[in-house]
């Protein structure tokens, strides 16, 4: 395990983890949005009560919708990893297209196909931006010359057994 942050859980655990994470993001984001919307659209004397009522009515619905999307995406992503036998950005693009398409199947095949193309394009854009940003960050980290820091030189001198300050003839 040389890079523990880049490796992910195996697929059954990944699906449940992504489903729970998506529900949590949707519930928290929905709570903030619907509470603020409820307080804004209520009369002066009952802003807090109406905000809490809007939060209780709508946040679980938003969390559930996020959980459905996150669960389907994770299932399709794991399926793509299993079928293709490799982990790369194309799996996310395939999973995004399949997720969007399957969520629009009840509206007909035409709507599902259009949504699948949109979902795949959106995930391809996101993955492409991530690849470009990783490339730019790697190049900028490699291109920087080493910096001569006098504090580091003094610390190295102290560690080597030398004095903490170097004598200077500036005040003669």
């Amino acid at each position: 395990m040389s890079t523990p942050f880049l490796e992910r859980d195996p697929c059954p655990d990944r699906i449940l983890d992504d489903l729970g994470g998506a529900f949590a993001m949707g519930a928290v984001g929905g709570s903030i949005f619907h509470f603020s919307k409820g307080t804004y659209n209520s009369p002066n004397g009952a802003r807090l009560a109406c905000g809490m009522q809007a939060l209780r009515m709508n946040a679980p619905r938003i969390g559930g919708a996020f959980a459905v999307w996150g669960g389907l995406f994770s299932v399709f992503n794991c399926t793509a990893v299993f079928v293709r036998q490799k982990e790369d950005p194309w799996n996310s693009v395939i999973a995004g297209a399949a997720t969007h398409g399957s969520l629009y199947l009840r509206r007909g095949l035409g709507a599902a196909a259009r949504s699948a193309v949109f979902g795949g394009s959106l995930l391809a854009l996101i993955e492409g931006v991530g690849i470009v940003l990783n490339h730019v960050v790697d190049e900028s980290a490699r291109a920087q010359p080493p910096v001569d820091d006098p504090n580091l030189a003094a610390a190295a001198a102290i560690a080597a057994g030398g004095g903490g300050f170097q004598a200077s003839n500036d005040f003669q």
Side-chain angles (χ1 to χ4, degrees):
M1 268 217 205
S2 61
T3 56
F5 296 112
L6 298 178
E7 295 177 9
R8 299 215 29 204
D9 294 335
C11 272
D13 296 335
R14 184 186 306 187
I15 293 169
L16 292 175
D17 188 38
D18 289 348
L19 191 122
F23 177 79
M25 283 192 300
V28 169
S31 296
I32 293 168
F33 176 78
H34 286 291
F35 178 77
S36 62
K37 185 178 176 185
T39 56
Y40 181 76
N41 293 327
S42 61
N44 279 338
R47 290 200 188 272
L48 185 62
C50 291
M52 289 302 292
Q53 181 182 9
L55 182 147
R56 282 192 305 268
M57 288 174 55
N58 296 314
R61 180 176 47 87
I62 301 298
F66 270 66
V68 167
W69 194 94
L72 277 175
F73 179 82
S74 188
V75 165
F76 286 128
N77 194 10
C78 287
T79 303
V81 168
F82 178 76
V83 169
R84 297 183 69 231
Q85 292 296 315
K86 61 178 162 178
E87 184 85 35
D88 64 354
W90 283 108
N91 294 336
S92 295
V93 173
I94 293 166
T99 300
H100 278 261
S102 65
L103 288 174
Y104 273 79
L105 266 177
R106 65 182 178 171
R107 296 185 184 182
L109 289 177
R114 284 189 299 274
S115 181
V117 168
F118 176 76
S121 301
L122 182 66
L123 265 294
L125 179 70
I126 291 169
E127 290 293 329
V129 167
I131 290 170
V132 168
L133 285 176
N134 283 338
H135 182 71
V136 167
V137 168
D138 287 344
E139 288 295 322
S140 67
R142 236 182 286 143
Q144 291 180 353
V147 178
D148 292 334
D149 190 0
N151 295 328
L152 292 178
I158 291 172
F165 295 101
Q166 295 179 354
S168 173
N169 293 333
D170 292 339
F171 300 106
Q172 291 181 2

